[in-house]
Amino acid sequence: DNDATPSNINNVNPVPAQDLFNKGKAFFEEDYDLKNAKKALKTALRIQTRELGEDDPVIADTLEVLANVFFNEGRFDEGLEKLYRALAIREEKLGIHYKTAILYEVIGSAVLQQHQNLEKAEEMFRKAVDIKLQVLPQNHPDLLDAYQKLAVPLQRQDKFSEATKIQKLVLAGLLKEHGEDHHTVVNAYVGTASMLQAQNRLDDALQMLDKSIEVCSRLQQRDIDNFDPRLLEMTFKQKAGVLSAQGNFEGATEIFKAVLFLNKNVRGEMDTKETAEAYESLAKLYIQQEMANDAFNALTKALQIYQTLPGDFRSLLRIGEIEQTLEMLLPEKESNDLNEVGLEMRAQGDLETAIQLFQQALDIHNDNYDFHPNTAAIYENISAVKEEQGLLQDAVSASAEAVKLRRRNPGDDHPDTKARMEAHKSLLTRLLFANRS
């Protein structure tokens, strides 16, 4: 790249390669300055290659950090190429070594997250486990962490038997090594819950997560200053996912509200990627509950936060997807706003304005949706106002449309449908009586 030209290589007193490596790593990890990180690391790599040769283990360290820079630029294939080159060096020069195992894990995570290559991820994580078994003692945290990483692609390939054995092994090892009140035990409980959820063992998953919450509570009470609230946040998010899988969207919504409260009042952070993701999850739950206005507001907050974050590739993707969803939700939000104001006008006795607002809300639905479950409520509001105006025939017509829609969704057996059908029968009776009179 032109921006990576090593301007100092030919100087009389060139900057040592190790200093450039340290500077590039700091640019990336501390400042998130991808351009200068890449420039320093590429320069360091060229000096190292010239002075040490192409297969020195030091070069593998530089390639590993440079790969992470490429990943954050969205250049996944180039990043993986750097990692495989680093791995070849470590395999040849270091062999059975802890740093080789770490690189297997990095590659496994990359192919899992970016390429969804479950078989390759499993292969990489197995190799990491094999090496760590040889270089680390039993129940060492890094060995148990390697097992947990391996469980992820196994679970996603429906290899539940082996994944379950691994999770039990990890949990037992952590409990033996640390006792129950330890942050790594929280990770194990959440990992086990994820595996149980994948098998649709939702009640068992909730039991694991409740244990995780109990551990977090004890850790927080014991040493609140050093308690990491991300442990509780991770547990809450997993529990919200289980509740959603059970169809308990209200419960999951309350959980994500707790996550946002945690970010603001405990972590003191609101403009973070994690907070934006929490607002996104909250919006999805609102959409499930047909609460378009709340979903719109939550997504708007997520979008505002993403726009303040560094413009890495993934955040830019999120912004584009959120903008599309907001555009999709906008008609429903506008319709809901009109409907709410119409209800206020009806309460104030301004029936003509109420009808106009309800009709505008109905027009938005008819223009944008072949079918929408909230359309029935608008017809019911129109029917009620028409009845108050003494226009019973118009009231019956609007009520009939509402009945038709409610019978379509949520169906004849739903309480809302039954209530509307009873109201419609009562309205028909009043119309017949009025016609006789």
Side-chain angles (χ1 to χ4, degrees), residues 204-411:
D204 292 336
L206 286 177
Q207 288 182 7
M208 290 291 106
L209 293 168
D210 287 340
K211 287 183 179 180
S212 179
I213 292 171
E214 290 172 6
V215 174
C216 286
S217 178
R218 290 196 295 269
L219 290 173
Q220 188 176 26
Q221 291 173 7
R222 182 179 302 169
D223 190 359
I224 191 169
D225 291 334
N226 293 313
F227 174 71
D228 186 352
R230 289 175 296 182
L231 295 171
L232 193 55
E233 179 183 355
M234 173 181 64
T235 306
F236 278 160
K237 287 181 177 179
Q238 188 68 43
K239 186 170 183 177
V242 176
L243 292 172
S244 295
Q246 289 182 323
N248 185 356
F249 300 120
E250 291 183 7
T253 299
E254 293 305 312
I255 291 288
F256 269 106
K257 287 181 180 178
V259 170
L260 291 167
F261 178 86
L262 191 68
N263 283 352
K264 180 179 180 181
N265 296 285
V266 179
R267 293 176 62 181
E269 300 174 354
M270 284 303 290
D271 294 337
T272 64
K273 185 176 180 180
E274 290 74 20
T275 303
E277 290 172 347
Y279 273 121
E280 277 194 88
S281 298
L282 189 60
K284 291 176 183 176
L285 290 166
Y286 282 137
I287 290 172
Q288 289 281 357
Q289 299 169 80
E290 298 172 5
M291 301 167 67
N293 286 38
D294 291 319
F296 190 93
N297 293 335
L299 278 178
T300 300
K301 290 178 180 177
L303 180 62
Q304 290 169 347
I305 293 172
Y306 275 125
Q307 289 172 335
T308 66
L309 297 177
D312 66 287
F313 181 71
R314 283 168 289 186
S315 292
L316 292 174
L317 275 179
R318 299 303 314 128
I319 288 173
E321 291 173 7
I322 290 172
E323 287 175 339
Q324 288 181 347
T325 306
L326 285 172
E327 186 176 348
M328 178 190 75
L329 288 172
L330 186 58
E332 177 62 9
K333 181 182 184 301
E334 291 176 343
S335 175
N336 286 347
D337 290 342
L338 289 166
N339 196 49
E340 289 178 9
V341 177
L343 290 171
E344 292 176 7
M345 293 297 101
R346 178 190 172 193
Q348 295 174 21
D350 189 348
L351 302 183
E352 285 298 329
T353 301
I355 280 292
Q356 291 175 9
L357 292 167
F358 292 145
Q359 188 60 53
Q360 290 176 34
L362 185 61
D363 290 343
I364 290 175
H365 270 223
N366 291 336
D367 290 343
N368 289 278
Y369 309 113
D370 293 330
F371 171 81
H372 196 288
N374 291 345
T375 309
I378 301 175
Y379 274 117
E380 288 166 3
N381 291 335
I382 292 174
S383 177
V385 173
K386 291 293 186 182
E387 183 181 2
E388 290 177 27
Q389 290 177 317
L391 302 172
L392 290 179
Q393 185 63 59
D394 292 342
V396 167
S397 297
S399 178
E401 292 296 327
V403 169
K404 186 191 306 180
L405 291 169
R406 293 223 180 263
R407 295 187 70 180
R408 178 175 174 182
N409 187 314

Side-chain angles (χ1 to χ4, degrees), residues 21 45 48 54-66 82-83 85-90 94 99 103:
F21 170 78
L45 187 61
Q48 291 167 343
E54 294 186 348
D55 57 356
D56 190 276
V58 170
I59 289 176
D61 298 341
T62 306
L63 287 168
E64 183 179 350
V65 180
L66 186 58
K82 296 287 185 291
L83 288 179
R85 183 179 160 196
L87 179 61
I89 294 172
R90 285 188 184 166
L94 301 181
K99 293 181 75 172
L103 203 46

Side-chain angles (χ1 to χ4, degrees), residues 133 144 148 426:
L133 279 169
L144 297 175
Q148 283 192 300
S426 176

Side-chain angles (χ1 to χ4, degrees), residues 171 175 180 185-193 208-209 211-212 215:
L171 185 56
L175 290 170
E180 191 167 44
V185 174
V186 173
N187 290 325
Y189 277 134
V190 173
T192 304
M208 290 291 106
L209 293 168
K211 287 183 179 180
S212 179
V215 174

